[in-house]
Amino acid sequence: MLEKEIIDPQFLESMADKRAFLKKMFAVFVSQEPKRVQEIHDALENGDVAKLRHLAHSLKGGAATMGAERVRQCCLLLENATQANDMSAAMGHFKTLETEMDQAYTFMFNFMAE
């Protein structure tokens, strides 16, 4: 089974005739989401499960809107860990989320530069 692309190719294809709009969407994502990732980190460090769940859920929706399926999946796992009150698993999912977000940012910055 092939690993999923950073950004869903079908999403990109569906936005092919809206490239300028997609660049604006990506610009908003890369300007706003690092703050949310930091807030997720802070909630995790502070053991604020309710806030962590809310932030993971919010980022999951943003990632889905951008076609960032791997980020969305990390957020889902993080959200599920909070529901199970498994902060150890949540920490592991957060570390993966950071990696996936970095890859999504790189993809989006490169896309915007084209």
Short mmCIF file of all heavy atoms in Angstrom, two decimals, residues 3 5 8 22 26 29 32 34 59 61 63-64 66 75-76 86 88 97 100 106 108 111 114:
data_model
loop_
_atom_site.label_atom_id
_atom_site.label_comp_id
_atom_site.label_asym_id
_atom_site.label_seq_id
_atom_site.Cartn_x
_atom_site.Cartn_y
_atom_site.Cartn_z
N GLU A 3 2.07 5.04 0.56
CA GLU A 3 1.85 6.06 1.58
C GLU A 3 1.07 7.21 0.95
O GLU A 3 1.26 7.55 -0.22
CB GLU A 3 3.20 6.56 2.10
CG GLU A 3 3.07 7.49 3.25
CD GLU A 3 4.42 7.85 3.84
OE1 GLU A 3 5.35 7.04 3.74
OE2 GLU A 3 4.51 8.94 4.40
N GLU A 5 -0.11 10.85 -0.09
CA GLU A 5 0.59 12.09 -0.43
C GLU A 5 0.39 13.10 0.70
O GLU A 5 -0.56 13.02 1.47
CB GLU A 5 0.02 12.66 -1.72
CG GLU A 5 0.18 11.77 -2.93
CD GLU A 5 1.61 11.69 -3.42
OE1 GLU A 5 2.36 12.66 -3.23
OE2 GLU A 5 1.97 10.65 -3.98
N ASP A 8 -3.65 15.61 -0.77
CA ASP A 8 -4.40 14.67 -1.59
C ASP A 8 -4.39 15.11 -3.06
O ASP A 8 -4.87 16.20 -3.38
CB ASP A 8 -5.83 14.60 -1.06
CG ASP A 8 -6.71 13.63 -1.83
OD1 ASP A 8 -6.20 12.88 -2.68
OD2 ASP A 8 -7.93 13.64 -1.58
N LEU A 22 -6.50 28.66 -4.18
CA LEU A 22 -5.83 27.64 -3.37
C LEU A 22 -4.56 28.21 -2.73
O LEU A 22 -4.27 27.94 -1.56
CB LEU A 22 -5.51 26.40 -4.21
CG LEU A 22 -4.90 25.22 -3.45
CD1 LEU A 22 -5.76 24.79 -2.27
CD2 LEU A 22 -4.67 24.05 -4.41
N PHE A 26 -3.80 28.22 1.22
CA PHE A 26 -2.55 27.72 1.79
C PHE A 26 -1.86 28.81 2.60
O PHE A 26 -1.31 28.54 3.67
CB PHE A 26 -1.62 27.20 0.70
CG PHE A 26 -1.97 25.84 0.15
CD1 PHE A 26 -1.30 25.35 -0.96
CD2 PHE A 26 -2.96 25.04 0.71
CE1 PHE A 26 -1.59 24.09 -1.48
CE2 PHE A 26 -3.26 23.78 0.20
CZ PHE A 26 -2.57 23.30 -0.90
N PHE A 29 -3.47 29.05 5.94
CA PHE A 29 -3.13 27.87 6.73
C PHE A 29 -1.73 28.01 7.34
O PHE A 29 -1.55 27.81 8.54
CB PHE A 29 -3.23 26.61 5.86
CG PHE A 29 -3.12 25.32 6.63
CD1 PHE A 29 -4.23 24.75 7.22
CD2 PHE A 29 -1.91 24.66 6.73
CE1 PHE A 29 -4.14 23.55 7.91
CE2 PHE A 29 -1.81 23.46 7.42
CZ PHE A 29 -2.92 22.91 8.01
N GLN A 32 -1.60 30.76 10.10
CA GLN A 32 -2.39 30.62 11.32
C GLN A 32 -2.15 29.32 12.08
O GLN A 32 -2.22 29.30 13.31
CB GLN A 32 -3.88 30.75 11.00
CG GLN A 32 -4.25 32.13 10.54
CD GLN A 32 -5.74 32.27 10.26
OE1 GLN A 32 -6.50 31.31 10.31
NE2 GLN A 32 -6.16 33.48 9.97
N PRO A 34 0.53 27.34 12.70
CA PRO A 34 1.63 27.13 13.67
C PRO A 34 1.23 27.55 15.09
O PRO A 34 1.64 26.92 16.06
CB PRO A 34 2.76 28.01 13.11
CG PRO A 34 2.50 28.02 11.64
CD PRO A 34 0.99 28.06 11.52
N LEU A 59 -8.02 21.59 14.24
CA LEU A 59 -6.97 21.43 13.25
C LEU A 59 -7.32 20.32 12.26
O LEU A 59 -7.02 20.43 11.07
CB LEU A 59 -5.62 21.15 13.92
CG LEU A 59 -4.42 20.96 13.00
CD1 LEU A 59 -4.25 22.14 12.04
CD2 LEU A 59 -3.16 20.74 13.83
N GLY A 61 -10.24 19.64 11.10
CA GLY A 61 -11.12 20.24 10.10
C GLY A 61 -10.36 21.11 9.12
O GLY A 61 -10.61 21.06 7.91
N ALA A 63 -7.20 20.85 8.30
CA ALA A 63 -6.39 19.98 7.46
C ALA A 63 -7.24 19.31 6.38
O ALA A 63 -6.82 19.21 5.23
CB ALA A 63 -5.69 18.93 8.32
N ALA A 64 -8.43 18.88 6.75
CA ALA A 64 -9.32 18.25 5.78
C ALA A 64 -9.67 19.23 4.67
O ALA A 64 -9.71 18.87 3.49
CB ALA A 64 -10.58 17.73 6.47
N MET A 66 -7.86 21.56 3.51
CA MET A 66 -6.68 21.78 2.68
C MET A 66 -6.26 20.53 1.91
O MET A 66 -5.30 20.57 1.15
CB MET A 66 -5.49 22.21 3.55
CG MET A 66 -5.66 23.50 4.28
SD MET A 66 -5.83 24.87 3.14
CE MET A 66 -7.34 25.54 3.78
N CYS A 75 -4.42 14.26 13.61
CA CYS A 75 -5.34 14.97 14.50
C CYS A 75 -6.44 14.04 15.02
O CYS A 75 -6.82 14.11 16.19
CB CYS A 75 -5.97 16.17 13.80
SG CYS A 75 -4.79 17.48 13.46
N LEU A 76 -6.92 13.16 14.14
CA LEU A 76 -7.94 12.19 14.56
C LEU A 76 -7.38 11.27 15.63
O LEU A 76 -8.03 11.03 16.66
CB LEU A 76 -8.42 11.39 13.35
CG LEU A 76 -9.41 10.27 13.66
CD1 LEU A 76 -10.71 10.82 14.23
CD2 LEU A 76 -9.69 9.46 12.39
N ASP A 86 -5.56 9.03 27.25
CA ASP A 86 -4.24 8.41 27.12
C ASP A 86 -3.24 9.48 26.68
O ASP A 86 -2.98 9.66 25.49
CB ASP A 86 -4.31 7.26 26.10
CG ASP A 86 -3.01 6.48 26.02
OD1 ASP A 86 -1.97 6.96 26.53
OD2 ASP A 86 -3.03 5.39 25.42
N SER A 88 -0.06 9.59 27.09
CA SER A 88 1.17 9.04 26.53
C SER A 88 1.00 8.86 25.01
O SER A 88 1.87 9.25 24.23
CB SER A 88 1.50 7.71 27.19
OG SER A 88 2.64 7.13 26.59
N LEU A 97 2.40 14.52 14.45
CA LEU A 97 1.71 15.68 13.90
C LEU A 97 2.70 16.79 13.55
O LEU A 97 2.59 17.41 12.49
CB LEU A 97 0.66 16.20 14.89
CG LEU A 97 -0.04 17.51 14.52
CD1 LEU A 97 -0.85 17.34 13.24
CD2 LEU A 97 -0.93 17.98 15.67
N GLU A 100 4.34 15.89 10.31
CA GLU A 100 3.41 16.01 9.18
C GLU A 100 3.10 17.47 8.87
O GLU A 100 2.96 17.84 7.70
CB GLU A 100 2.12 15.23 9.45
CG GLU A 100 2.30 13.73 9.52
CD GLU A 100 2.81 13.11 8.23
OE1 GLU A 100 2.67 13.71 7.13
OE2 GLU A 100 3.36 11.99 8.30
N THR A 106 5.92 22.82 4.03
CA THR A 106 6.88 22.82 2.93
C THR A 106 6.18 22.69 1.59
O THR A 106 6.46 23.44 0.65
CB THR A 106 7.93 21.69 3.12
OG1 THR A 106 8.63 21.92 4.34
CG2 THR A 106 8.90 21.64 1.96
N MET A 108 3.07 23.44 0.90
CA MET A 108 2.28 24.64 0.64
C MET A 108 3.14 25.83 0.24
O MET A 108 2.79 26.57 -0.68
CB MET A 108 1.41 24.97 1.86
CG MET A 108 0.31 23.97 2.09
SD MET A 108 -0.61 24.31 3.61
CE MET A 108 -1.70 22.89 3.66
N PHE A 111 4.20 25.24 -3.30
CA PHE A 111 3.05 25.44 -4.19
C PHE A 111 2.80 26.93 -4.40
O PHE A 111 2.56 27.37 -5.52
CB PHE A 111 1.81 24.77 -3.59
CG PHE A 111 0.61 24.81 -4.48
CD1 PHE A 111 0.36 23.78 -5.37
CD2 PHE A 111 -0.29 25.87 -4.42
CE1 PHE A 111 -0.76 23.82 -6.20
CE2 PHE A 111 -1.41 25.91 -5.24
CZ PHE A 111 -1.63 24.88 -6.14
N GLU A 114 5.20 28.66 -6.87
CA GLU A 114 5.12 28.30 -8.30
C GLU A 114 4.38 29.36 -9.09
O GLU A 114 3.46 29.97 -8.65
CB GLU A 114 4.40 26.96 -8.46
CG GLU A 114 5.21 25.79 -7.94
CD GLU A 114 4.43 24.47 -8.02
OE1 GLU A 114 3.27 24.46 -8.45
OE2 GLU A 114 5.02 23.47 -7.63
#
